[in-house]
Every structure is written in C-alpha cells, then in structure tokens.
Amino acid sequence: ETGVTQSPTHLIKTRGQQVTLRCSSQSGHNTVSWYQQALGQGPQFIFQYYREEENGRGNFPPRFSGLQFPNYSSELNVNALELDDSALYLCASSRGLAGGGGASTDTQYFGPGTRLTVL
Amino acid sequence: RKEVEQDPGPFNVPEGATVAFNCTYSNSASQSFFWYRQDCRKEPKLLMSVYSSGNEDGRFTAQLNRASQYISLLIRDSKLSDSATYLCVVGDYKLSFGAGTTVTVRA
C-alpha cells in the first residue's frame, strides 16, 4: 500500500451542488497532486500543491479549487457540479525537489480515489 | 493533439506469450517517463520508470526513444495476473497520462 488515503470512497451529488474531497499524503511527502479520471480515459491533471501553495494547474475551470494544510493533507473542492464532473478523483503524493519551487520529479504515489457521481 | 497517445488494444494473449506495445508523446522537453498499471476501478500503480538507456524489471522491459518520442513496454512470459490496463505517463511536476492499453492474458 502507498500510505495515501482518500475520503470518501464514493459520493453521489446532484447538479449544482458543491463537493469536498480529502487526501492524506504519505509520510515524508510534502506535495499533493489531484487528477480526474473519466471512464475509459487516463487521469487528467487538475493541480498540484507544494508546501500549502498551488504549484501548477491543468485545464480545469476555477470552480475546481484546492487547499493544502500544514500537515500536507489536501482538499479538492468543486462548486456548481456538472454531469461531466462524474469521474474517479485521484490524489497522488510525492516529495518536492529540495530547494526548488515545488516542481517535483519524484515518483507520485496514488491513493485509492473517490468515485463521484453527479446526477 | 493529445500529449500522450497509446494504442488502446485490447491485446488478448495466452499465458507465456510475449506482448509489446508503445505510446508516443508530443512534448519533446519531457523529462520523466513511466509505465503505470491500473486494475479495473483501482488507482494507478507505478510499474516502472523508463530511462533513455532502456531498463528491465523482471519480465518487463521498457525502452525510450527520445528522437522519435515514443516509449515501449514489453512483457515476457505473460501471467494471468498481468491482465490490466497499462498507462504510459510522461511528465515532470505534472503527469500526463495516455488513455491506457488493455492487456488480457488468457489461460
């Protein structure tokens, strides 16, 4: 097991609602990345947090937002849910490069994911 | 154009066979390359990193061709437990995933 945990495991919401997903990183890791995986597709990068700061963002609208806490756990918030937001949401933890701006080339370890269904 | 493109398969092979597949990537500045394995409805798990000189991990061999921007994975002596979707991954701080190649090993 990677030591990365996510909650909840499954969630059902209706269109227009808001959702918060949580991720606890592996011990010793200070970087958390979030990905969205739609059915039949590979994961798509949403954003990354390094030491509580956003360190890069993929092609997702502002209604996708996040936080990282001092213990390096992280939240993904999605407002105004749309049907297309139905997907598996994965977080991955890793170690940021020492002395760098947070860009991490160290291996990313994935949590089990949260499966979100929007009706 | 997608950042990482893979043949979706499926590759349906008998136990003991060799199967190989590859992917192409569009960003020539990419620095890190991986193969991840994903079982049905589970999270991706790192199978192996891919180095320019090529590398082997047991029955798995990965190759990287930077000039042609493609990465390959070869599985020798396939086992039933190798049945999975194999994700080609390219990146640096953010990972770009292909859509996956499905491999089914039959008895």
Side-chain angles (χ1 to χ4, degrees), chain A residues 35 37 48 104-105 108 111, chain B residues 36 38 41 43 92-93 95 98:
Chain A
Y35 296 83
Q37 186 175 22
Q48 183 184 83
S104 172
T105 57
Q108 296 190 19
Chain B
Y36 276 74
Q38 187 170 31
R41 303 180 75 82
E43 74 274 22
D92 201 321
Y93 74 96
L95 300 180

Side-chain angles (χ1 to χ4, degrees), chain A residues 33 35 37 40-45 48 55-57 88 90 103-105 107-108 110-112 115, chain B residues 2 31-32 34 36 38 41-46 49 87 91-100:
Chain A
S33 306
Y35 296 83
Q37 186 175 22
Q41 301 297 317
Q44 299 294 310
F45 175 74
Q48 183 184 83
N55 181 51
R57 189 179 183 93
L88 178 67
L90 296 158
S104 172
T105 57
T107 302
Q108 296 190 19
F110 285 83
R115 193 163 297 279
Chain B
K2 291 184 179 179
Q31 295 297 316
S32 302
F34 310 92
Y36 276 74
Q38 187 170 31
R41 303 180 75 82
K42 300 278 194 177
E43 74 274 22
K45 293 185 178 177
L46 179 67
S49 300
L87 298 166
D92 201 321
Y93 74 96
K94 72 159 195 160
L95 300 180
S96 296
F97 286 78

Side-chain angles (χ1 to χ4, degrees), chain A residues 6-107:
Chain A
Q6 291 186 245
S7 63
T9 53
H10 295 84
L11 204 51
I12 299 175
K13 292 285 190 178
T14 56
R15 199 169 44 182
Q17 286 189 308
Q18 178 266 342
V19 68
T20 297
L21 310 181
R22 295 178 175 83
C23 171
S24 291
S25 58
Q26 185 174 326
S27 178
H29 287 181
N30 55 15
T31 302
V32 172
S33 306
W34 286 93
Y35 296 83
Q36 179 197 65
Q37 186 175 22
L39 201 61
Q41 301 297 317
Q44 299 294 310
F45 175 74
I46 303 175
F47 42 56
Q48 183 184 83
Y49 279 85
Y50 169 72
R51 293 185 177 176
E52 303 178 59
E53 299 281 335
E54 188 179 289
N55 181 51
R57 189 179 183 93
N59 190 24
F60 280 81
R63 59 190 185 83
F64 285 78
S65 63
L67 282 174
Q68 188 178 32
F69 299 99
N71 66 354
Y72 304 126
S73 66
S74 178
E75 283 183 358
L76 164 65
N77 299 289
V78 187
N79 294 323
L81 284 167
E82 299 177 0
L83 297 179
D84 284 350
D85 295 334
S86 295
L88 178 67
Y89 288 84
L90 296 158
C91 79
S93 81
S94 57
R95 283 179 297 192
L97 287 176
S104 172
T105 57
D106 204 2
T107 302

